[in-house]
Amino acid sequence: MRRALIAGNWKLHGLQENQSWIPALETAVTTPPSNDVAVCVPATLITTMAQTAPDWLSVGGQDCSVHEKGAHTGEISARMLADAGCSYVIVGHSERRADHGETDAVVKAKAERALEAGLTPIICLGESLGERDAGNAEDVCRDQLLASIPEAPAAKVVIAYEPIWAIGTGRTATAQQAQDMHEILRQAWPGDDHDALRLLYGGSVKPANAAELLAQRDIDGALVGGASLDAESFASIIASAK
Ligand code: PEP
């Protein structure tokens, strides 16, 4: 039985504009959720978040280094994230693939470092609008999956399917489009343990569309960007999880 995971991604937004986020979330979530919940925050906020989050809320990083340590100025290792209080780390978000030229091989190496540090990597993948319009979405996502995943049991990783055209655009994949891709990705998982694989959908998930997306058979949760900055919206999405 897979436990749903609702993970927020604050991107480059800080506690400055979210001082009251944890108290507001605790007010909105009256009983501890039966599914898993995490919030992936900028690195400078991890310690504060980990110290103040309620027990049911895990903290995650948004990226980690391919290196464990050494002369790599500006990098943060997976082990440092774990030491600071993280349980999860996002790797291969399309914004990092685009802004920093991260390849599937880099994403795979980051996921390996995350596992070695005891973190659960949330490995992101998804097609562009051009790739979808050309009818290549399935091949693109299957190829990204196979090239980005470490050798590990399915239960040790999380995959987030995030069509690039749906991220931060207000345009969401239909529940059917998302379910179809999740089913393809589950079947493409190389082990016979694909039923244990948690597959999140990401791309403009909001309170208004979360329930329908999360009701799909192969959608095991959501990676939530913009709507996770608002505690009430995030609480509403948490409540929508099966
Ligand atoms: C994301 O940050 O991964 C994301 C899906 O963002 P949004 O929910 O804002 O589209």
Side-chain angles (χ1 to χ4, degrees), residues 9 11 93 95 124 162 166-170 202-205 223-227:
N9 174 17
K11 311 192 187 198
H93 192 284
E95 289 156 11
C124 299
E162 300 207 302
I167 298 179
T169 58
S204 300
V205 175
L223 183 54
V224 185

Side-chain angles (χ1 to χ4, degrees), residues 138-169:
E138 290 179 16
D139 287 345
V140 166
C141 291
R142 201 185 285 110
D143 289 351
Q144 277 186 52
L145 175 79
L146 295 176
S148 305
I149 50 173
E151 259 185 57
K156 292 276 185 192
V157 305
V158 172
I159 305 295
Y161 166 57
E162 300 207 302
I164 296 168
W165 47 271
I167 298 179
T169 58

Side-chain angles (χ1 to χ4, degrees), residues 78-182:
R79 215 165 287 280
M80 289 171 179
L81 294 179
D83 286 348
C86 285
S87 310
Y88 294 90
V89 61
I90 297 171
V91 293
H93 192 284
S94 60
E95 289 156 11
R96 288 207 62 87
R97 288 180 188 257
D99 295 352
H100 302 273
E102 290 190 4
T103 61
D104 291 335
V106 166
V107 175
K108 178 178 176 174
K110 291 184 174 195
E112 287 169 347
R113 294 301 86 70
L115 288 170
E116 288 159 12
L119 300 176
T120 301
I122 301 174
I123 303 166
C124 299
L125 55 88
E127 81 284 1
S128 66
L129 189 57
E131 288 163 339
R132 177 158 284 265
D133 287 346
N136 295 332
E138 290 179 16
D139 287 345
V140 166
C141 291
R142 201 185 285 110
D143 289 351
Q144 277 186 52
L145 175 79
L146 295 176
S148 305
I149 50 173
E151 259 185 57
K156 292 276 185 192
V157 305
V158 172
I159 305 295
Y161 166 57
E162 300 207 302
I164 296 168
W165 47 271
I167 298 179
T169 58
R171 194 176 153 188
T172 319
T174 65
Q176 192 60 54
Q177 283 173 322
Q179 163 57 30
D180 289 349
M181 187 61 82
H182 281 223

